[in-house]
Structure formats: C-alpha cells, structure tokens
Amino acid sequence: MQLLPPEQPTAGAQQRDYVVAFAAVLAALGLRFLMNPLLGQQGPYLILSLAIVVAAFYGGFGPALFATVLSVSIGTYFFIGSGLGQDFFQPQNISRTVLFLLIGLSIAVIGGRLRTSRHDLAESVRQLRASNRAKDNAMATLGQPVTIAPAVVD
C-alpha cells in the first residue's frame, strides 16, 4: 500500500491536498456541531484539531497550516464569539486560541517533515531498485550467476 506518489507532487496534487484540508475542516466542523450539545463552550477547537492531523498527513506543512488558520477562524466564529468578537477578548478565549495555534503549527511542522521523509524514502528505494537491476544486468552480461555472499557475523 502506497500512501504517496514516489515523484514530487504536481500542481494538481498540491491543489488536491488543499481540497482535502478544506474537506477535513468541514467534516470536523460538522462533527463539532453534532457534539455541541455535549461540549457546549468547552473545547471549541478540540475536534477541529483532527482536521489538522489529516491535512498534515496527506498534504504536509502547507495544507496543515491552511487547516489551522481555517479551523481557528471557524472555531472562533461559531464556538467562541457571537460573530462580533466581544467574547473572544476574554483571557481564557485568547489563551485557548493561542494554544490551538501553537498545537496546529506543531502538527503542521511534524506533518511537513513526515511528508518530506516519505518522499525521500521513496526516492531512495527507487534508486536502490535501479542499482540492483543494473547489478543484475552486469552480472548477466558477464555470464556469472548472481549470488549473494553470506554476511560474516562475529
């Protein structure tokens, strides 16, 4: 099972990553609305953090950052403020928002590094397979059977 294409992402793939991030935020928002009778004003951003994780996993840093900003905007508008922003300036709401931004940024950085690592790994595997094929071709050209010497362990 391959989660990412082995080549560098194209413009279409990058757009898809942002669409996935947007859809994840909308899905998390829908879930948050369903859980609103249980949660009320508690944890306005809690469910929205799942959207950032999804965006970071599939899209890396940029889409995760987009999901973070979108989640803060939506979470603040629907679950903290009354639309006028008067409730937002209470100290507990500011601290919730800043903490969520820091968590979202952290998830975005980690997701970006994970995506880069997966691409690097896929490239290394591709190079290793090409090297192995070249070795097999060279050995077949020489007429030698391809054997692998056992490793000596002390």
Side-chain angles (χ1 to χ4, degrees):
M1 180 174 86
Q2 188 171 350
L3 296 175
L4 290 175
E7 64 276 346
Q8 290 297 322
T10 62
Q14 288 176 345
Q15 289 175 350
R16 183 197 64 225
D17 294 340
Y18 283 92
V19 169
V20 167
F22 185 75
V25 171
L26 289 181
L29 178 64
L31 183 60
R32 179 61 174 88
F33 272 122
L34 289 175
M35 296 185 73
N36 201 36
L38 296 172
L39 296 176
Q41 293 292 77
Q42 299 300 315
Y45 303 115
L46 182 64
I47 304 299
L48 294 170
S49 61
L50 297 175
I52 299 169
V53 172
V54 169
F57 184 77
Y58 286 105
F61 179 77
L65 188 61
F66 171 70
T68 300
V69 171
L70 189 60
S71 294
V72 165
S73 302
I74 288 174
T76 301
Y77 182 80
F78 285 114
F79 304 114
I80 290 181
S82 59
L84 301 174
Q86 296 168 347
D87 293 338
F88 175 75
F89 293 106
Q90 295 177 357
Q92 70 270 18
N93 290 336
I94 291 174
S95 63
R96 285 178 186 169
T97 304
V98 169
L99 182 61
F100 181 74
L101 281 170
L102 291 174
I103 290 169
L105 183 60
S106 300
I107 293 170
V109 168
I110 291 168
R113 288 181 178 235
L114 176 64
R115 184 174 174 94
T116 301
S117 296
R118 289 189 306 200
H119 279 294
D120 292 347
L121 177 62
E123 179 61 29
S124 295
V125 167
R126 211 172 24 260
Q127 289 175 358
L128 182 60
R129 287 180 179 155
S131 175
N132 198 25
R133 280 191 303 273
K135 182 229 7 141
D136 289 344
N137 290 338
M139 295 300 286
T141 301
L142 294 172
Q144 301 287 332
V146 178
T147 59
I148 298 174
V152 177
V153 179
D154 290 325

